Amino acid sequence: MNTLLVTLTLVIVVALIFDYINGFHDTANAIATVVSTGVLPIRTAVLLAALFNFGGALTGTAVASTIGKGLIVPSAVTQVVVLSALVGAIFWNLFTWYFGIPSSSSHALVGGLVGAGAGRAGAAAVQGAGLLKVVKSLIISPLVGFAISFLGMIAIFWIVRRTRPAVVNRRFRILQMVSAGFMALSHGSNDAQKTMGIITMALVAYGAVPSDHGNFHVPLWVVFACATAMALGTAAGGVRIIKTMGTKIIDLKPIHGFAAETSAAATILTSSFMGMPVSTTHVITGCIMGAGASQRVSAVRWGVTTRILWAWVLTIPVSAVVAWACYLGLSSILGG
């Protein structure tokens, strides 16, 4: 059997495994607040998130194009490079999931691609402009989310200032179910596309999909496969990270959950439309912090937040090093 075809098949399988892991690793992005505030039981919330994640994954492919053709020069892309990138990203996702740390699957995948590409062709393999665009979007998006959530909470408090707390709580329990679905939809629209970009990159390298003079076309079967894998992963749930995001950053109430989820979903969907791969984990964490800080700075548990920030800083370099080491090992076995 053709060795290249076997390697391509392995890449697709590992990519879908990454997508599945991304789903249960990032379940907390959509439902941590709705679970911690008691609006929905965890299994109901997880199934809701899985359904909307699937729908969100079908909304476009602009982010897939950025990942697939904007980070590594085409001449440096091989099946082994893509496979090594996925292994590096999966390692970091599982490591942070085990310790209940909300980290970025997006950062991990970017780090994996950079490390594996550098392992094959050195620093020249990395497209500086594309990497800068991705890093900017990954850094700026949680800050934007923080600001929107902070201002949104102030506006909401002003609107409900004369309403009895019991009425406010009851109304926002209902609204939070809507915002949780909105958040899950946005998560699928951005994160599933990253795996679509990876698989299409491998298909182009194999010659199964034409590059078409720089255009990047994601096959329909890839879209549905990635949407399904992410939805199944989300349905599996990620209780460890749900507890961290839902209970350890601030004491959430339905009004905070609604503001954080709505702000995060708006930020992520805008980024998806612009083809910017952002970290949904970073964005929702920033929005939760913004909602808490709108009351008082001390409402945010900065000790836990510092631990999360360290994970964010380490994600790209650690994933890159693991992917680089994987490339050295796998290339000696599989070639190129």
Side-chain angles (χ1 to χ4, degrees):
M1 192 173 180
N2 190 313
T3 304
L4 288 177
L5 181 59
V6 172
T7 308
L8 173 64
T9 303
L10 181 60
V11 167
I12 293 173
V13 170
V14 174
L16 292 176
I17 290 172
F18 169 79
D19 206 25
Y20 178 88
I21 292 171
N22 189 356
F24 80 71
H25 185 277
D26 289 358
T27 298
N29 295 350
I31 64 169
T33 58
V34 81
V35 170
S36 63
T37 56
V39 172
L40 288 175
I42 188 166
R43 292 313 305 171
T44 303
V46 165
L47 292 175
L48 173 73
L51 177 64
F52 279 93
N53 260 337
F54 182 86
L58 306 179
T59 58
T61 58
V63 174
S65 181
T66 300
I67 289 290
K69 70 176 185 180
L71 284 173
I72 306 296
V73 296
S75 60
V77 177
T78 66
Q79 306 301 328
V80 177
V81 166
V82 178
L83 183 59
S84 302
L86 287 166
V87 172
I90 288 173
F91 167 81
W92 186 248
N93 270 1
L94 290 177
F95 179 85
T96 52
W97 166 80
Y98 181 80
F99 289 101
I101 303 171
S103 68
S104 169
S105 299
S106 305
H107 278 160
L109 192 55
V110 169
L113 284 170
V114 170
R120 173 173 169 76
V126 181
Q127 298 189 53
L131 180 60
L132 183 61
K133 175 185 176 181
V134 170
V135 171
K136 277 184 177 179
S137 66
L138 292 172
I139 293 173
I140 293 173
S141 56
L143 300 178
V144 171
F146 180 97
I148 294 174
S149 183
F150 181 89
L151 296 174
M153 276 301 303
I154 292 175
I156 290 171
F157 279 137
W158 186 84
I159 292 170
V160 302
R161 68 191 185 281
R162 293 189 179 128
T163 308
R164 285 179 296 142
V167 175
V168 171
N169 191 60
R170 185 169 61 250
R171 289 176 179 174
F172 276 93
R173 285 175 68 87
I174 297 171
L175 287 173
Q176 201 185 353
M177 287 189 280
V178 178
S179 64
F182 190 29
M183 178 62 202
L185 184 78
S186 70
H187 175 255
S189 77
N190 204 279
D191 272 28
Q193 287 194 49
K194 294 155 191 170
T195 308
M196 295 177 201
I198 284 288
I199 292 177
T200 306
M201 180 191 295
L203 292 170
V204 170
Y206 181 77
V209 173
S211 58
D212 195 16
H213 305 292
N215 293 325
F216 197 80
H217 301 294
V218 180
L220 189 60
W221 70 265
V222 173
V223 174
F224 276 95
C226 292
T228 302
M230 174 158 285
L232 290 174
T234 301
V239 178
R240 294 172 185 265
I241 297 175
I242 289 172
K243 289 180 179 177
T244 298
M245 294 182 68
T247 63
K248 295 183 180 179
I249 297 176
I250 66 169
D251 290 319
L252 284 170
K253 292 181 174 55
I255 192 169
H256 302 111
F258 172 78
E261 288 166 347
T262 304
S263 302
T267 303
I268 295 165
L269 283 173
T270 302
S271 301
S272 297
F273 178 77
M274 298 172 64
M276 299 169 62
V278 300
S279 167
T280 54
T281 305
H282 289 201
V283 174
I284 186 61
T285 303
C287 290
I288 291 172
M289 292 166 60
S294 66
Q295 296 176 260
R296 61 187 187 281
V297 175
S298 61
V300 179
R301 298 188 179 103
W302 296 105
V304 175
T305 304
T306 301
R307 185 164 63 103
I308 294 172
L309 290 173
W310 269 112
W312 291 1
V313 170
L314 293 173
T315 296
I316 289 181
V318 171
S319 301
V321 170
V322 173
W324 175 79
C326 285
Y327 176 79
L328 296 182
L330 290 173
S331 61
S332 64
I333 300 170
L334 302 173

